[in-house]
Amino acid sequence: MQNIDNALLELPAELVTRDQDILSSYLTDFRRQYTGATTALLRPRHTADVQTIIRVCAKHRVGIVPQGGNTSYCTAATPNADGRELLISLEKMNRLRDLDKENLSVTADAGMILADLQRAADEAGLLLPLALGSQQSCRLGGNLSTNAGGINVVRYGMTRDLVLGLEAVLPDGSIYSELNPLRKNNSGYDVKQLFIGAEGTLGIITGVSLKLMRKSCQTITAFLAVRDISSLSAILNAAQIQSGEAITSFEYISSASLNLLLTAKKHLRHPLPDESEHYVVLEAATVSPILNLEECMNALLAELLESGMIGDGTIAASQQQRAALWYLRESIPEAEVHHGGSVKHDIAVRTSRLSAFIESASRLVKKHRDDAILSIYGHVGDGNVHFNIVPPIGIDQNAFKDRVEREISPEIYQLAFEMGGTFSAEYGIGRVKLDLLRRYGAEGKTHIMERIKTAIDPRGILNPGKVIP
Ligand SMILES: Cc1cc2nc3c(=O)[nH]c(=O)nc-3n(C[C@H](O)[C@H](O)[C@H](O)COP(=O)(O)OP(=O)(O)OC[C@H]3O[C@@H](n4cnc5c(N)ncnc54)[C@H](O)[C@@H]3O)c2cc1C
């Protein structure tokens, strides 16, 4: 610990917090899977402060763990339990640097909360399309470092697709700055891509330029009761055609997930008169004042009812009803927590195989545990499903979850792999999926990752023990 003490002696006092009461709120991850320890939290105010911190930590070979809003799911933002790493939070770096309405771009400090930037875009009459359930607390640096997905990927892509420019401080304290909101820039390697999805292992992201979109003048949201899960892909296809490719979200909810929610929050109502096994929340948006989205959605529902693909459906008639439908979708993780938690599997397969994956994985679980509750939901428009196994009521939940992780999860990951899918669609690797990366990473991938890490961070001071097996 001598090197940490020496580093802290050299750092400007105003950047260092040692108060353990304050520190404790940063040390446990969102899902309460891991609690780390640290001597101090470092809170820079400017990029130059980040450089000072990194230079001092590099000199004393002290590990640094970047933390944004601490909402990620793979314990990637918590320091190790041995207390030998320092935590850095960019929460004081939350300025909007530039918003260019004509260029449809925005540049901001990486410590800004996502919802604050969405609001700034909205006030300028534009849309920042990155949207996720954690947007009131997650921060841009965390969003980039996890390459976050969310509910609009089907139309606008992952965070990576929205990033135009990036500024980061490297492990030797130097700056990589390409914070330029250009739409085209083929001047050599696209270096910024290295930091996106790197989970803080290659540099501390300090600034980011993102694409903005024109704000839609029509948005329409529907809730569908799907008859047969195998028609999910056909429903998405029909919706894209009827709306002229205007679908922004296509989210699946299983009856088990909805029931967990309706049990946890008694004031909520089922949006349809009859229950179904499968539901979809579907949203379309357009900037066109001519296209009539309501007509498109009515035509879609008529087509789907006639073909028997859906048993029922409702279209939100007001902003309040739209918010109520989204509340159902976005509160499922909370309902799982209320029930006592779940064993999560963040799977993606190609969309054409998603229904087959859900069916096979469900059979596989039931073969082991007929009483398991399968809370299955997610961004199925992107081939991403959260396949979560929830303990039945009245049993030892921790013992159940341990057993699922030991006996069932490996089979689910193996199934995803055999179907050409991935064990981590949007949550990353952190410290909890290192074994899976070792096992299922593409051939030669971890070798290249190790070489990149060694080239950029030879002393291994940035977020040690995460991402690199
Ligand atoms: C209710 C809920 C809903 C969610 N929905 C989604 C979803 O739909 N899609 C999705 O993808 N995720 C989702 N998530 C997961 C999570 O919100 C995202 O991964 C988010 O992008 C994490 O941002 P954060 O600021 O909280 O990052 P943190 O958890 O603080 O950190 C994440 C990683 O980024 C690194 N990091 C943080 N800041 C920096 C920086 N400035 N420079 C370098 N590295 C940095 C950390 O070290 C860590 O490795 C959800 C989480 C919750 C709780």
Side-chain angles (χ1 to χ4, degrees):
M1 301 296 256
Q2 187 62 42
N3 48 352
I4 290 199
D5 293 338
N6 290 340
L8 289 174
L9 277 176
E10 261 182 59
L11 283 169
E14 62 273 22
L15 304 184
V16 180
T17 304
R18 284 169 176 265
D19 182 335
Q20 283 297 327
D21 285 344
I22 297 178
L23 291 187
S24 61
S25 63
Y26 292 78
L27 294 176
T28 300
D29 73 297
F30 184 86
R31 293 187 59 210
R32 310 204 156 273
Q33 297 179 104
Y34 191 86
T35 297
T38 191
T39 318
L41 168 70
L42 310 172
R43 286 189 282 195
R45 300 149 304 180
H46 312 280
T47 302
D49 287 345
V50 179
Q51 285 188 280
T52 305
I53 288 169
I54 303 270
R55 282 197 181 118
V56 170
C57 289
K59 179 176 153 195
H60 295 282
R61 296 189 176 234
V62 172
I64 308 164
V65 179
Q67 188 174 102
N70 195 19
T71 65
S72 55
Y73 280 163
C74 291
T75 69
T78 38
N80 224 342
D82 64 13
R84 290 175 185 278
E85 294 158 3
L86 293 174
L87 199 53
I88 182 168
S89 165
L90 270 56
E91 64 197 43
K92 291 189 175 165
M93 289 179 60
N94 54 13
R95 287 168 297 257
L96 182 72
R97 298 195 196 178
D98 172 59
L99 195 153
D100 187 335
K101 285 171 90 163
E102 256 178 82
N103 191 52
L104 294 173
S105 63
V106 66
T107 300
D109 284 352
M112 197 164 184
I113 287 184
L114 174 59
D116 291 343
L117 193 59
Q118 289 171 340
R119 241 184 319 276
D122 187 64
E123 280 161 17
L126 296 168
L127 169 77
L128 175 67
L130 181 62
L132 26 156
S134 55
Q135 62 200 24
Q136 299 297 340
S137 23
C138 62
R139 296 177 188 270
L140 302 177
N143 299 144
L144 263 71
S145 300
T146 54
N147 184 27
I151 55 172
N152 290 333
V153 173
V154 73
R155 168 86 154 267
Y156 303 107
M158 305 278 282
T159 299
R160 190 183 296 285
D161 300 296
L162 300 171
V163 176
L164 295 171
L166 188 148
E167 175 190 88
V169 177
L170 304 184
D172 61 359
S174 64
I175 286 198
Y176 156 65
S177 183
E178 220 172 3
L179 207 48
N180 193 346
L182 294 179
R183 304 258 155 186
K184 283 190 168 181
N185 186 358
N186 274 349
S187 54
Y189 296 163
D190 193 357
V191 172
K192 65 179 179 298
Q193 298 298 342
L194 276 180
F195 300 91
I196 303 171
E199 298 180 48
T201 56
L202 297 178
I204 308 283
I205 299 173
T206 47
V208 48
S209 291
L210 293 167
K211 286 181 195 166
L212 297 177
M213 308 290 160
R214 292 175 188 85
K215 205 153 72 176
S216 332
C217 59
Q218 298 175 63
T219 300
I220 192 147
T221 311
F223 188 88
L224 313 177
V226 177
R227 279 241 166 87
D228 181 349
I229 195 164
S230 64
S231 53
L232 280 180
S233 196
I235 294 174
L236 173 60
N237 195 41
Q240 289 289 26
I241 291 170
Q242 286 286 9
S243 66
E245 306 265 15
I247 300 301
T248 48
S249 307
F250 190 83
E251 299 282 313
Y252 171 73
I253 303 178
S254 61
S255 58
S257 300
L258 189 60
N259 288 340
L260 282 178
L261 181 60
L262 298 179
T263 309
K265 299 188 183 243
K266 297 267 187 260
H267 64 284
L268 292 177
R269 289 197 185 291
H270 197 299
L272 297 173
D274 295 318
E275 293 192 6
S276 167
E277 273 299 294
H278 315 286
Y279 304 96
V280 158
V281 179
L282 171 77
E283 189 158 281
T286 181
V287 295
S288 164
I290 296 164
L291 186 76
N292 188 328
L293 270 190
E294 201 177 331
E295 271 178 21
C296 296
M297 195 61 90
N298 283 329
L300 174 70
L301 258 61
E303 180 191 331
L304 297 175
L305 281 166
E306 200 186 334
S307 66
M309 283 197 263
I310 63 168
D312 199 359
T314 179
I315 297 176
S318 62
Q319 185 55 32
Q320 203 183 357
Q321 284 183 10
R322 174 183 176 234
L325 291 180
W326 275 115
Y327 186 76
L328 291 180
R329 163 60 187 89
E330 286 176 346
S331 306
I332 296 169
E334 207 184 315
E336 287 181 5
V337 173
H338 182 268
H339 183 87
S342 62
V343 179
K344 294 185 188 296
H345 307 90
D346 172 34
I347 303 292
V349 293
R350 58 176 82 178
T351 46
S352 51
R353 293 182 185 163
L354 194 76
S355 311
F357 170 81
I358 293 175
E359 285 178 316
S360 302
S362 304
R363 272 197 303 274
L364 184 159
V365 176
K366 293 291 174 185
K367 202 177 68 197
H368 282 272
R369 287 296 301 240
D370 199 29
D371 55 349
I373 301 169
L374 295 182
S375 175
I376 310 169
Y377 64 94
H379 319 295
V380 299
D382 331 319
N384 178 194
V385 65
H386 300 311
F387 190 92
N388 299 345
I389 305 181
V390 177
I393 292 168
I395 61 156
D396 178 340
Q397 300 211 330
N398 287 334
F400 176 89
K401 286 191 249 174
D402 284 348
R403 204 160 156 202
V404 167
E405 275 169 5
R406 251 191 348 265
E407 294 171 9
I408 306 181
S409 298
E411 291 188 27
I412 291 173
Y413 292 127
Q414 180 65 23
L415 176 69
F417 174 72
E418 284 166 11
M419 294 182 77
T422 175
F423 59 91
S424 184
E426 58 177 13
Y427 293 161
I429 303 295
R431 57 157 69 76
V432 300
K433 289 193 174 176
L434 288 168
D435 281 347
L436 290 168
L437 177 61
R438 207 174 280 125
R439 180 157 191 179
Y440 294 118
E443 199 178 340
K445 178 168 172 161
T446 51
H447 182 54
I448 295 177
M449 285 171 61
E450 280 161 12
R451 289 172 69 181
I452 293 172
K453 172 75 175 171
T454 308
I456 297 181
D457 184 15
R459 295 187 178 116
I461 63 162
L462 274 187
N463 217 357
K466 320 285 171 41
V467 185
I468 305 292

